Amino acid sequence: MPSGAGPGGAASGGVGPGGAGLGGAASGGAGPRGPILSVRDLSKRYGEREALRDVSFDATPGELVAVVGPNGAGKTTLLSILAGIQRPSAGSVNRHPSEVGWVPQQPALYSKLSVAENLALFARLERVDDPLDAVERMLEQTGLRERAGEQVARLSGGNRQRVNVAIGLLSRPPVLALDEPSTALDPGQRERLWTFIHTLAAEGTSVVFSTHDVNEVQRHAARALVLADGELLFDGSPASFLAAAERGAGSPIEDFTDAFVSFLRARGRQ
């Protein structure tokens, strides 16, 4: 993809579908593939306030796409629209909400129920064809089988988040939307969670995640979507984002946090 205007008018980083970020993150599988998720001209208004404005992007199978921006940028609004939690004011998403697994920032779990009971309850609520099979599959996939009978209230933050992700995967969605998945996790829990997310991507699940930790973009994402005031300012690889920030600053930038601050400042967004 040549440099210039990407989807929605955002600066493009010059990386085609399935490109790799600086941290070695890459899409699952090999070779170019068409998008599994297509978002076109997505807008959301709350009265006079415009939370999203004409946001467009694609994601390919197995691609890890980070959504990053300052507070109020529209990150959660975007992900919740993908998952069907909110309706857009304009624009379209090519996937039905049932095809997008939703993992909110705050786990919506029943603390007095066990891990397996939570999974079984949500499998039935989502009308999964074979709830018992789905529970067994997710206990195995998330490594929670030894915790199956344990009450959720007694789990560590990392294990609760794994249950949260497992619920989003019960219906085998081709796309997973994660809102701040590593928030409040300690470094060890965070690494285990990201290892699991990369495994999902390697198996072909397209993962779109928001984060306030811009270093997670550099380490884990193949592509970065930078939002500010509801507008998509950049769509490209972490490496091309660093290059764009350096061009704006007129000097080398090695730290991704510094690049993020410089990029927004150059565009009058901070």
Side-chain angles (χ1 to χ4, degrees):
M1 183 188 301
S3 298
S12 170
V15 174
L22 286 183
S27 69
R33 287 175 288 182
I36 196 169
L37 174 69
S38 291
V39 175
R40 291 292 174 268
D41 303 319
L42 212 61
S43 296
K44 179 65 177 179
R45 286 185 174 276
Y46 300 99
E48 296 297 318
R49 185 171 73 87
E50 197 169 31
L52 288 177
R53 182 167 63 257
D54 298 326
V55 172
S56 298
F57 69 94
D58 293 329
T60 57
E63 191 172 24
L64 278 163
V65 180
V67 183
V68 63
N71 289 332
K75 301 184 297 296
T76 298
T77 300
L78 172 60
L79 292 179
S80 64
I81 290 174
L82 297 184
I85 306 302
Q86 298 191 72
R87 293 175 62 88
S89 301
S92 64
V93 179
N94 73 324
R95 288 287 169 182
H96 188 272
S98 64
E99 298 177 299
V100 180
W102 171 235
V103 182
Q105 184 175 340
Q106 298 298 327
L109 305 174
Y110 291 90
S111 60
K112 293 185 178 181
L113 298 182
S114 70
V115 171
E117 287 169 339
N118 266 276
L119 292 175
L121 174 60
F122 281 97
R124 290 184 173 89
L125 289 174
E126 294 186 18
R127 299 180 180 179
V128 174
D129 289 339
D130 189 341
L132 292 179
D133 177 72
V135 171
E136 289 298 310
R137 173 168 48 84
M138 291 320 305
L139 288 173
E140 189 68 31
Q141 190 172 3
T142 58
L144 287 167
R145 184 168 296 283
E146 293 182 0
R147 307 279 188 177
E150 191 168 342
Q151 205 175 64
V152 164
R154 298 176 181 174
L155 297 178
S156 67
N159 282 329
R160 280 197 299 272
Q161 187 65 308
R162 279 202 284 172
V163 177
N164 201 31
V165 174
I167 289 171
L169 293 168
L170 282 166
S171 62
R172 299 179 186 265
V175 179
L176 185 64
L178 300 164
D179 191 16
E180 303 279 352
S182 63
T183 297
L185 300 185
D186 65 38
Q189 293 170 339
R190 189 176 296 120
E191 285 303 307
R192 286 190 290 274
L193 177 65
W194 279 113
T195 297
F196 175 53
I197 292 171
H198 278 282
T199 299
L200 293 175
E203 293 172 351
T205 303
S206 179
V207 180
V208 184
F209 69 93
S210 66
T211 181
H212 275 298
D213 184 350
V214 295
N215 291 312
E216 287 188 338
V217 181
Q218 188 174 16
R219 288 195 62 198
H220 301 295
R223 294 216 344 268
L225 306 178
V226 179
L227 290 175
D229 301 319
E231 183 181 355
L232 182 59
L233 301 180
F234 181 88
D235 178 357
S237 71
S240 60
F241 178 76
L242 277 174
E246 287 180 351
R247 286 195 299 271
S251 60
I253 301 176
E254 296 182 1
D255 183 82
F256 205 80
T257 301
D258 291 342
F260 182 68
V261 172
S262 177
F263 180 88
L264 292 179
R265 183 179 295 137
R267 286 153 182 81
R269 301 303 176 98
Q270 195 176 63

